[in-house]
Amino acid sequence: MFPGIDGFHWTVAHILFLSLFFAVALTIAATVISAAWRTARDFRTHRATELCWNSDFADLPQSDRRCRHELAGRVISRTCDNAFDCRHCNQYSQFAVLPARAMMHDLGLHYPQDRLYHRGHTWVHAEEDGTVTIGLDELAHHLIGNPDSVNLPEPGSEIELNQTAWRMTKNGNHIQVRAPLEGTVVAIGGPKDGWYLKLRPRLDPETPRPCVTFFVVRKFTAGCPANSSACSYNSGRSMPRPAWPMEEPFSLT
Amino acid sequence: MSARYGMVIDLDRCTGCGSCMIACAADNNVPVLPKATARTGLTPLLVRKVSNALEGTARREAFIPIMCMHCEHETPCVTVCPQQAVEVDKATGIVMQMPQRCLGCRYCMTACPYHARYFNWWDPAWPAGMEKSLNPGVAVRMRGVVEKCNMCHARLHSAQEKAAALGKREIDPADYVPACVEACPTAAIRFGNLADKNDPVSQEAHSPNAFRFLARLGTEPKLYYKSSEAWVRALAESASGPVPENKSSEKKLAEVQHG
Amino acid sequence: MASTALTGSSLTDGNLSDKNLPDKKWIPRDANRTSLPRFLLWLAPWAALLALGIYAAGLCLYYGLNQTNMDNRFAFGLWIFLDLGVIALGAGAFFTGFLVYILKRAELRPILNTAVVVGFICYSGAVGILGIDVGQPLRFWFTFWHPNTHSMLTEVTFCISCYLVVLCLEYIPILLRNRQLRKLPSFLVFEHQLHKLVPVLAGVGTLLSFFHQGSLGGLYGVLRGRPFAFRQGIFIWPSTFFLFILSAIATGPSFLMLVTAAVERVTNKQLVPRDLFRRLGFISGVLLGVYVAAKSIDTLIWLNITSPSAGFAAWQYYIYKPFGTPILFVEIVLFGLLPAFLLTYHRTAAHRGWLLSAAALACCGVLLNRFVLTVQTLALPTLAFDEFLHYTPSWQEVASFGGVLAWGVIVYSLSYRYLPMFAPLKGEDTHVSGD
């Protein structure tokens, strides 16, 4: 196979045959290495998240692949030129200012209109003194009920957008609630108070920003719609809508 | 000058005693295989019994020792072995099999028209005590490899060592005699150098009653057979050979015998 | 939605509660799959067969090849016949890839995943069987180390090893499209990048397949010592080299058609556009027609020129029951010309029943062809005083191959359940079940 092997007699036929073989083997190896190298490059240049997003979105059922403004009731229907990637949309602000006709009562849950909602199933209510109150929305409350224990951050500590704001346990399951905003914790509450945190936000809650967020629930019971394919949040990836607080219902179809 | 070792086997003299088979097995450390059948046994030299397919007083029988024919031209087993475990030795014309390199794919066995190649279906084993009678000059083959007659190459090796010890370049022909040749009581198997015109075997190979099996395949075997009986010579080629089961082929045989 | 037809005997139930689908998160989104207990019930007999096959193979590896019924006259037996057959049937993998990626026939895309998985199954099974068929499996690398370029088997070894690697590489993107696996960003991005390079792999696969399908034919065509198999040819390649390639690419699409039809029957869903079978059938039929023509010419040359010049008259081959001249007729006409006609004639090609029957005939034809060359060659006498031989495989041989079949069914079942093997059908592609 290689020159220099003891007792092997090289002929023209061997050279031809083995050259062809090595060429083919090199082509195959080059293909794999090239794919791996390009993958590494994608991660370095941060194209990876975009690829992940694109492929996840393409995975959604046809009915879910709709413009978020359509879902919010701002427009009756529209076709998106941007492949539903709001991050790169230059028309976004035009639609955002239109009034939303929300579908508030999906699943018979109540979503008061005076609050902003985050995909982490928290609500944000802006107070007059510039702070915001953060609590769990009706769906989360419906799923979790009364938590067995709540582990809130100390007042004065900082929480970051979409990082863990506070932790709870229920029936041995650990729940991490994502922060809908970044800021400094001013006061802490609890399930009995109807709110969990008061926060002094760093930015105006309504400032749009692209980000990734997900509601991580480990070993949740099988009955949770969050675990079914019906829940479009289940994959845990960045979804078509940028996740800043919006007065918008959750599409649970 | 390189040799071309071959044989002439006189079928008029072969009695079918089988001494050649036993000598071959003993000299080449062929294992004792209690579970072997006629088709799975290991017989680098096999004496076949043939007849002219007639009955009664017209019946004739003969014995044909079959072993590797050491084909010279486009040797079927050499061209097909995937890892070059077989080659035609340029110095002697012997088709050499390397059991250590053999993968056991048995492609060479498929290729050989003479069915002269045998596979080690079992691990080699001998009855207790018999291993003391093994020939130390011949390596024992492992299970899963192909083997065949190699013209008792170990004996050639001994002859070469002897010649080298005496300071000669060429071996003494009397020193290199394969086991079957030595054992045959009627000297039916004769061994010699076909490339040497003066060798009596070489001359006998060109006698009118000499033939080779399946010569029309074009493999140029170096084993010649000799018979004064026409029906035996007719067995050389398949197309003219008898096929006992089928009546139409018996008609063909009759044509050959009387035509 | 495409999956509308549900009958009582179906293995799929549309609206199961998640209690019966504990592996739901592994199943592609929106896919209807049967309950896990039922799926395991389906797998159970195949797993048992696989276990039996592994046991039989283990016996052969441990005790030696005396466990088989092969002998010095039948050095190649059931395993080699089935290896050649399975590789011929798996040719659909490379040929479909060639048609889709190189010739840009996008209408065959729906069957591409099945082709890759079937190819992977066939080649991995063949390589597995070859591993136990040789007397010294651990010496497999000798062929690479000391290649003999005159030997067709060297060529086969090199090509099949490379091609199995190519098939694995083509299977990996399909695997990585599993719902849970793609959650790992590195897997998802790697799949994306590898998928972009699949045309290169398809090209390499076509080249390799061309050579090894041909060389498998060449294995027998070069046997000077077996005039039944020996053929003249072009340069170093006997005519069987080209005939094997032709028969393989002719029956590959047919086999894919049969596999897909079987999957559709078991899952009781329509999985591919309705006209895909017709297209596959047409490709298969045309190539089969070319093959039959080439084979007929080759057979005539062989019977009248090649074989007699080696001293073997044609009549000698066909005087043994049951291997008489009807075998020639069956192979070329019944399993060759007839399916070629049925697959291309527009009236029969329009009906699924005719298509599938013709595809089955074509596959039988390629299997018969391989059988004739592997088994009949060795059964026939060469020396004038040889007899016609019989051979029956031992249970270990049959069980080993049963294990390969079980391996195939298990791999395909798992692939079907957990991977997006078939793209969702658009409305106009569907048909009423039972058509």
Side-chain angles (χ1 to χ4, degrees), chain C residues 14 16 42 80 84 117 120 134-135 139 169 174 180 247-248 252 290 303 308 329-330 343 348 371 374 378 421 428:
Chain C
L16 276 178
W42 158 256
I80 295 290
L84 259 65
V117 177
F120 171 77
V134 293
R139 293 186 184 180
L169 290 176
I174 305 176
Q180 291 297 316
S247 57
V290 175
L303 286 177
F329 171 80
V330 167
L343 290 168
T348 46
F371 175 81
T374 52
L378 290 174
M421 292 283 292
E428 66 270 13

Side-chain angles (χ1 to χ4, degrees), chain B residues 163-181:
Chain B
L166 293 171
K168 296 191 196 148
R169 287 189 70 85
E170 300 283 335
I171 62 160
D172 182 355
D175 284 337
Y176 174 36
V177 176
C180 52
V181 177

